[in-house]
Amino acid sequence: MAGAAAPQGLADQVFQVPAMEQAAGQPLEFVRTKRMEAGLAVKPVAIDLGEWAGLKSAPDMQVYIIGASRAVEQAKSVPLTAQLLQWQPSANGGMVAALSLRSGGAQGLRLGLVVDQLPGSAMLRLYTDHQPAAVFEIAGQRVMQILQANRDAGDNSEAGRTWWTPSSSGEQVTLEIELPPGTAPEQLKVSMPEVMHIYENLSLPLGGLDADDEQADAKTIPVGSPVDCHLDVNCSTQAATERKGVARMAYVTERLADGRYYYGLCTGSLLNDAQGSGTPYFLTAAHCISTQTMASALETDWFYTSTRCSSNSLSPSSVNLRNGSQLLYANANPDVTLLKLNDTPPAGAMFLGWNSGVVPDNTPVVGVHHPSGGLQKISMGVMSSRADCTIDGKDVSCFSAPNSGDYYYVRWSMGLTQQGSSGSPLFNNGAVTGVLTAASEASCRANGAGAYSFYPSLNSVMPALRKWLVDAGAGATTPPASGRTPVYRFYNTQNGTHFFTANAQERDALVQGNTTYQYENIGFYASTQTAAAPQAVYRFFNNNSGSHFYTINADERAFVIANYPQFSVEGVAWYARQAAGEGSVPMYRFNNTLTGAHFYTTNAAERDFVVATYPQFVFEGVAYYVWGSQ
């Protein structure tokens, strides 16, 4: 996406937004790793790639690289993968199969699953031999949502059709796929031509379970070899609040000319908006992430700090989020990207305050960052002068532009920045004012004194970013976060129907206490009653079949009440639109002629799969309009 030009008259406007802390108890958008018995019902087919001769052969890049993709010849196509999968009956009446992959010497892995066709109610599970009970589980419909975002952004390539699994620790990981009843294995069309071989210790297990004893062995040797003169944030009293809004980033790069993907590390920061909406806007550098496909594979690590000053041990409070992000804005120069995280930030994270005014020369500034992907560090210095820069791949050339430059030239008196710090925020009086692009070569001469860095100023890109950080929701009667709400989707394994709820407490009760309902993450976003979504969607429960029915049509609601006594009215489920607009997407509706139940989806790929695969489902068109994101 190209950066928008500044509308006339807006470039000189200055905005200031205060910080805000994420409160405890916020509903999570996605359920994280859970404890379950996996791999007991089916023996995985093993793929052993052996030791890798291409270890640490990454090209010279502007970002810090800790991994590279490795070809999996055994599963490089749909037919080869289908031959590997050995299907067995599952406990739910469907079919289940698993593949176990080992890449010798890897500190961690991410599998690249190319999806050509995937049932929405399929369940994909990941676990390792050393933590078999810590299982990451994701529904097929969520994977399709991720890939749909890539397609919507114009990426129809193999890279855009690749779902990168969350990072796991160690050299082995198992992918288990369970198909729902009535779905033949031939209806699954996937391949796994690449695996990301991570050759540095990410210091996080696949599971991230809360139990300290399961994490202790994986949180002791953090990644990265930062220079000795870096200052641990826990050795300084400065930026004690601001550091809680800075996160380490790990992501899959674009496929390069050598045919490989690489695994990059950068730094980013969580920004507040003028309404204090709690929307997780995330600021970083465009040379880190510049496409939706890269944004989809983003993981972030929060509170990635030491346990105490210079301990070099990772805090047990660290939190790994792995559900990617939405690309809102990316511009090569000034080098800035704005994302919106798909995950809810963890409790205690700071939505950072920011100031789009120009920082005067010789003003004290502070940088907080993750050099070489390591534990969080702090740098202190002054904004010496302004500059303009040209960027050509890894090469960044800057020249003095005292009164008009888009970049801040920062000279450090203590600490410095290096690869992995890219995208990190520059603070002036506790407010974000810039984003790191480039720096002098890391050197500890004079404790880092004399080192320098270049940051695009927030002022230079605010005319483009203000539509999200300032104007979004400015005229609404309720903040955006309360105006649009996630609707969670479940698959009923007993009757083959789907259940939807906008109530996080109802969702959690089913996740924790009802094994009949298989959680499939967020199906779509609806609304509380607003001008953008004025019509109520009503929910019914069929006492005979145990299924649910949803309608926005008041006449249809009245007809069901009058003619079908087996349907109990359960009230308003959420609000939506009867016509397109406000960035909404269609909700497609099907009727199962064998059971009388209805199925709903906003995903065009899932709609097409149902039309092609299940003749008993009659397509009824668009029921109403909702949203694909918050």
Side-chain angles (χ1 to χ4, degrees), residues 75 77-82 85 113-118 124 175 177 188-193:
S77 67
V78 170
L80 286 174
T81 305
L85 294 170
L113 192 72
V114 178
V115 177
D116 291 332
Q117 188 167 286
L118 177 65
L124 292 81
L175 170 66
I177 304 174
L188 174 74
K189 296 179 181 179
V190 299
S191 56
M192 194 170 62

Side-chain angles (χ1 to χ4, degrees), residues 306-328:
S306 61
T307 53
R308 60 188 182 278
C309 177
S310 300
S311 70
N312 204 37
S313 293
L314 178 58
S315 167
S317 300
S318 64
V319 176
N320 174 241
L321 303 182
R322 56 188 55 161
N323 283 292
S325 61
Q326 177 186 352
L327 180 72
L328 302 178

Side-chain angles (χ1 to χ4, degrees), residues 141 160 269 317 362 445 468 515 544 593:
Q141 72 100 16
S269 57
S317 300
N362 300 314
R445 61 183 184 278
W468 298 286
T515 57
N544 293 344
T593 57

Side-chain angles (χ1 to χ4, degrees), residues 476-485 502 525-538 552 572-577 627:
T477 56
T478 56
S482 63
R484 207 174 285 179
T485 184
Y525 291 84
S527 182
T528 56
Q529 190 170 23
T530 66
Q535 279 84 33
V537 175
Y538 305 99
I552 199 172
V572 175
W574 51 79
Y575 290 84
R577 297 177 57 86
W627 288 269

Side-chain angles (χ1 to χ4, degrees), residues 431-511:
V432 176
T433 192
V435 185
L436 180 64
T437 284
S440 58
E441 185 177 351
S443 171
C444 283
R445 61 183 184 278
N447 199 32
Y452 57 87
S453 301
F454 290 97
Y455 291 78
S457 69
L458 206 56
N459 175 268
S460 67
V461 292
M462 187 48 57
L465 301 189
R466 64 169 287 171
K467 65 182 290 187
W468 298 286
L469 299 180
V470 179
D471 298 336
T477 56
T478 56
S482 63
R484 207 174 285 179
T485 184
V487 177
Y488 308 102
R489 173 171 141 169
F490 289 83
Y491 175 69
N492 188 321
T493 58
Q494 288 189 350
N495 60 24
T497 64
H498 286 81
F499 170 66
F500 298 86
T501 179
N503 187 304
Q505 289 72 36
E506 185 175 38
R507 177 204 67 174
D508 292 343
L510 289 176
V511 168

